Amino acid sequence: MKETLKWWQTRLIYQIYPRSFMDSNNDGIGDIPGIISKLDILKSLGAGAIWLSPVYVSPDADNGYDIADYHQIDKRYGTMADMEALIQEAAKRDIKIIMDLVINHTSSEHEWFQKSRKRIEPYTDYYIWKPSDEKGRLPNNWTSAFQGSAWEFDDERGEYYLHLFDKRQPDLNYHNPLIIEEIKNVLRFWLDKGIAGFRCDVINLIYKTSLEDGKPGFLRGAEWYANQEGCHRILQELRRDVLDSYDAFTVGETFMANLEDAKAFCNKERAELDMVFNFDHLQVDRLIVKYIATKFRARKLLAILAKWQNGLDWNAVVLENHDQPRIVSHYGSMQDWEKSAKLLAILQFTLRGTPFVYQGQEIGMSNFDFTDMSNINDVESLNMESLLKKYHIPARLRWKIITDASRDNARTPLQWNDGRNAGWTKGSPWLKINSNYTQINYKNEIDDADSVFHFYQKMIRLREDDEDLLLGDFNSVYSDKSLMVYKRGKSITVLLNFSGKPAKLKLLEPLLNFENTQIIVSNTGRLSMATEIEAWEAIVLKENPV
Ligand code: TEU
Ligand code: CA
């Protein structure tokens, strides 16, 4: 069975946010040589592939997710020679490189946009332009994911253009066949350099079927641009004409896709994407939008996990990325930092699918300890702050809303040691370093055999070696407010207590039989089952072979 799996099913994929990973030349911005200098550590962790967030030329309105040139490396990250060295050095260690493909939009500084606004052919229709009517009204009521209208008026062209994200990120026009050819060239360019595939940014939003008004709601217009038939057709074309010839891997970031949409994107016969990211399980403690908090419930988390685990043949298993809060701050507890970080590792590596670990997750990095708005860089948070101000929301409430949800929580520099600037730079870091770096850092954890880092290392190997963890089906057994139990395949049972209080296992006795099982891993060093599970305890049991 295991032999028939693809490399992207067995390996751990490690996400690097280059800006914050490691600064090699002390200019305060992480860079490619910095990544190369740490490849051995990533190898020892168990990384089989690296997904690199954007390193292309960018004016950084959205930290690289606004690309001004798809064929060049931004100077701050290094040179094309550095990038080629990274691909080679990674290959020497049997680590594959996956690039971030941001093709829903470009930067407004991209040459295509600069020419499009001047109506220079063939760029005139590269973007989605609309004249205003005689009353100067917006073309429709769509809203941007980064607050406000999705339309911006361009004085030079005298028309509005669409931007689903920041106004410095104009959306490309996928009704224009020239765009699809341009994108094919981008794919070929990078695949020819030896990369293994792409993480495709908001890929399910690229095709706008119509520009009619959207229904009332949070993100207005989504019914006309999310998960459209036109998007599926384009993905099939990219796969057939380019990706298949390189046997390239793709994972789609499909924000606003439900299970049915995801099934279509991942269906083998349709040949579109290999897997998709879904984030429903990271919204258990949120109401409608990420800014409105509610109580965490293990019962709800298990229901969502079960739906996706059983609904798709293969999942991308993710607890963190550069847009999400740190998982130990989110679903764990800083009071029980080490135990809860290890519990979350057990959760991640006992689910079915490809695990993605985001830089710093493996040492239990936590949310940023911001002190005021001047610490914040994230364009989404800055736009949110202006919007909240416009509606006269009091400063304290604004602060709470922003610090809880800011994407900068996950973007602070990686904590390498307890020295100055966490050993990350000798210069001045682009974003403040979390002050807990004296405790939480790579150096401490490498030296400590019981650390969160070594626990991740162990879980990564365990998942690769155990056939049921890798391939077994997923079955929910029990859940309540804070306790969750599930099985993988015939032999594995996982018990997790998401709470600072111990819990009785009595209720579970009729459901589970602990006889003839052994504990293969726990975050407390437990040797045998009892009638209670400790606070934040996590246990993996395996049935003995008969
Ligand atoms: O993210 C898209 C996306 O879903 C988030 O930005 C989302 O709107 C936000 O996190 C909700 O709070 C991708 C990238 O991962 C993100 O960093 C980019 O800003 C965005 O696309 C635009 O390229
Ligand atoms: Ca640098």
Side-chain angles (χ1 to χ4, degrees):
M1 272 275 260
K2 207 172 145 182
E3 291 67 39
T4 64
L5 292 178
K6 299 271 201 181
W7 67 261
W8 46 262
Q9 295 182 289
T10 50
R11 294 181 183 221
L12 166 77
I13 305 185
Y14 184 90
Q15 183 193 350
I16 289 185
Y17 194 66
R19 221 182 148 78
S20 301
F21 185 75
M22 177 66 199
D23 179 18
S24 74
N25 61 350
N26 303 315
D27 66 350
I29 299 178
D31 46 54
I32 296 171
I35 299 173
I36 297 176
S37 72
K38 300 292 184 185
L39 284 174
D40 287 332
I41 289 184
L42 299 184
K43 181 69 190 177
S44 89
L45 173 68
I50 288 171
W51 148 29
L52 207 59
S53 276
V55 286
Y56 317 93
V57 173
S58 163
D60 261 0
D62 188 16
N63 290 351
Y65 285 87
D66 49 322
I67 299 174
D69 186 344
Y70 290 97
H71 298 94
Q72 303 276 349
I73 299 294
D74 197 289
K75 278 198 207 69
R76 290 160 307 167
Y77 296 131
T79 61
M80 189 57 85
D82 291 328
M83 185 64 213
E84 286 161 357
L86 172 60
I87 297 169
Q88 267 178 25
E89 288 299 318
K92 274 189 203 158
R93 295 163 176 84
D94 191 27
I95 297 175
K96 296 177 189 279
I97 301 287
I98 294 160
M99 297 289 275
D100 213 312
L101 186 73
V102 189
I103 57 170
N104 174 68
H105 44 267
T106 68
S107 160
S108 49
E109 292 183 21
H110 196 293
E111 186 194 346
W112 299 341
F113 189 75
Q114 290 304 322
K115 292 193 166 154
S116 192
R117 67 206 298 204
K118 296 193 176 75
R119 297 178 200 262
I120 297 176
E121 289 304 340
Y123 303 102
T124 311
D125 295 325
Y126 266 39
Y127 296 83
I128 304 171
W129 293 101
K130 271 285 192 185
S132 70
D133 62 9
E134 57 294 343
K135 293 200 175 120
R137 280 181 301 212
L138 296 166
N140 67 28
N141 69 355
W142 294 10
T143 42
S144 145
F146 291 165
Q147 287 79 51
S149 169
W151 294 95
E152 180 73 12
F153 193 76
D154 181 55
D155 287 330
E156 185 154 359
R157 171 139 166 171
E159 286 188 316
Y160 283 100
Y161 64 88
L162 180 75
H163 61 92
L164 294 183
F165 293 88
D166 191 68
K167 64 179 184 216
R168 290 160 292 176
Q169 294 169 298
D171 282 47
L172 287 165
N173 173 17
Y174 279 88
H175 289 262
N176 183 346
L178 293 177
I179 292 296
I180 303 176
E181 294 312 310
E182 295 272 16
I183 298 304
K184 287 181 192 168
N185 287 334
V186 171
L187 298 179
R188 289 192 193 100
F189 177 84
W190 287 103
L191 290 165
D192 284 337
K193 291 210 178 285
I195 66 148
F198 298 96
R199 173 267 186 188
C200 311
D201 192 64
V202 289
I203 196 67
N204 58 326
L205 312 186
I206 60 175
Y207 188 85
K208 286 76 181 172
T209 301
S210 141
L211 296 178
E212 288 166 60
D213 274 345
K215 289 192 294 252
F218 166 61
L219 272 178
R220 280 197 305 264
E223 68 272 37
W224 300 116
Y225 65 74
N227 315 303
Q228 306 290 299
E229 206 31 59
C231 172
H232 290 289
R233 271 200 320 272
I234 292 165
L235 289 175
Q236 288 162 13
E237 181 175 338
L238 295 178
R239 176 101 173 230
R240 192 179 57 234
D241 291 359
V242 185
L243 297 163
D244 270 347
S245 345
Y246 295 84
D247 196 21
F249 157 76
T250 52
V251 52
E253 187 211 24
T254 50
F255 142 78
M256 296 197 287
N258 62 28
L259 181 58
E260 289 315 305
D261 300 319
K263 279 184 184 166
F265 284 120
C266 301
N267 180 316
K268 284 206 179 68
E269 274 76 63
R270 293 172 64 110
E272 298 177 12
L273 297 165
D274 291 314
M275 60 175 112
V276 296
F277 287 120
N278 146 260
F279 304 107
D280 289 0
H281 61 292
L282 298 176
Q283 305 289 329
V284 167
D285 58 349
R286 302 288 127 163
L287 286 175
I288 317 165
V289 291
K290 69 175 186 175
Y291 297 103
I292 308 176
T294 180
K295 282 208 175 75
F296 171 88
R297 289 286 180 255
R299 188 186 294 121
K300 200 167 148 199
L301 177 58
L302 185 63
I304 295 171
L305 288 173
K307 172 179 157 191
W308 285 86
Q309 287 274 299
N310 294 316
L312 288 178
D313 180 53
W314 196 257
N315 277 270
V317 180
V318 60
L319 297 181
E320 280 187 21
N321 65 26
H322 63 292
D323 296 333
Q324 297 287 336
R326 291 290 186 178
I327 196 67
V328 65
S329 303
H330 189 189
Y331 287 173
S333 157
M334 290 311 280
Q335 277 82 50
D336 268 309
W337 168 74
E338 188 172 329
K339 252 174 152 188
S340 63
K342 290 177 178 176
L343 170 140
L344 291 159
I346 291 187
L347 171 69
Q348 180 165 28
F349 294 99
T350 56
L351 294 173
R352 182 184 158 98
T354 300
F356 285 76
V357 165
Y358 174 68
Q359 65 182 45
Q361 183 191 335
E362 73 282 17
I363 56 167
M365 276 179 64
S366 65
N367 278 355
F368 191 17
D369 52 345
F370 311 98
T371 51
D372 62 78
M373 269 320 278
S374 71
N375 297 150
I376 292 183
N377 167 283
D378 175 14
V379 59
E380 183 185 69
S381 306
L382 299 177
N383 290 356
M384 189 66 189
E385 167 78 357
S386 331
L387 185 82
L388 294 173
K389 263 189 173 156
K390 198 170 117 190
Y391 289 103
H392 306 289
I393 306 295
R396 280 184 63 176
L397 184 55
R398 291 203 310 266
W399 184 238
K400 195 173 173 313
I401 292 173
I402 286 177
T403 49
D404 179 45
S406 176
R407 302 187 301 176
D408 283 344
N409 277 314
R411 297 179 178 182
T412 59
L414 195 49
Q415 296 160 203
W416 290 108
N417 62 40
D418 60 4
R420 184 164 166 259
N421 288 334
W424 186 81
T425 185
K426 293 198 181 78
S428 146
W430 73 276
L431 190 65
K432 262 178 78 176
I433 293 172
N434 194 314
S435 57
N436 65 20
Y437 73 90
T438 48
Q439 280 85 50
I440 303 177
N441 65 63
Y442 246 94
K443 171 81 174 55
N444 279 353
E445 298 197 23
I446 296 275
D447 293 347
D448 170 6
D450 285 330
S451 66
V452 174
F453 174 85
H454 287 294
F455 198 81
Y456 265 83
Q457 204 177 35
K458 176 159 129 190
M459 288 307 300
I460 292 163
R461 285 176 180 56
L462 185 68
R463 170 189 168 272
E464 284 172 18
D465 293 343
D466 187 288
E467 190 121 336
D468 270 347
L469 279 181
L470 204 52
L471 287 167
D473 54 358
F474 179 95
N475 283 295
S476 308
V477 175
Y478 175 84
S479 61
D480 56 31
K481 248 164 56 182
S482 43
L483 206 59
M484 164 192 302
V485 183
Y486 51 88
K487 294 198 73 161
R488 290 293 313 287
K490 287 212 163 55
S491 68
I492 299 280
T493 304
V494 182
L495 294 92
L496 306 166
N497 183 13
F498 286 86
S499 154
K501 292 192 192 107
K504 294 257 179 284
L505 294 177
K506 251 210 142 20
L507 272 173
L508 279 170
E509 272 163 20
L511 301 172
L512 290 171
N513 178 8
F514 299 135
E515 267 168 51
N516 205 29
T517 60
Q518 47 171 318
I519 297 173
I520 52 169
V521 70
S522 90
N523 60 351
T524 54
R526 175 188 287 280
L527 297 172
S528 64
M529 289 305 290
T531 54
E532 232 182 53
I533 183 166
E534 284 182 30
W536 293 107
E537 190 174 19
I539 306 167
V540 184
L541 288 158
K542 189 166 173 81
E543 226 165 88
N544 296 322
V546 274

